[in-house]
Amino acid sequence: MKKRSTIVLITISIIIFGVFTYYSFSTKANKETDSIVTDKNGEVVEPLNEDNGNMGH
């Protein structure tokens, strides 16, 4: 019984360490859903609306 509880505690600690490592190394860019697009002059370009379905056709 002591061996089983030791294995369970080690497994839980490995999982907690893995989750902590994952969230500490994830960057802000990975968490954002929208990306910022800039033109060649460095100015921010607004994203297209979803209404513009067949623009150019």
Side-chain angles (χ1 to χ4, degrees), residues 10-50:
I10 291 173
T11 305
I12 290 172
S13 63
I14 289 172
I15 291 171
I16 290 173
F17 180 74
V19 169
F20 175 75
T21 304
Y22 174 77
Y23 282 111
S24 66
F25 285 114
S26 63
T27 61
K28 184 180 177 185
N30 291 339
K31 293 179 183 177
E32 291 180 357
T33 56
D34 295 333
S35 59
I36 298 173
V37 179
T38 57
D39 62 2
K40 63 182 177 181
N41 297 327
E43 295 182 15
V44 176
V45 178
E46 294 295 325
L48 294 174
N49 291 334
E50 295 176 8

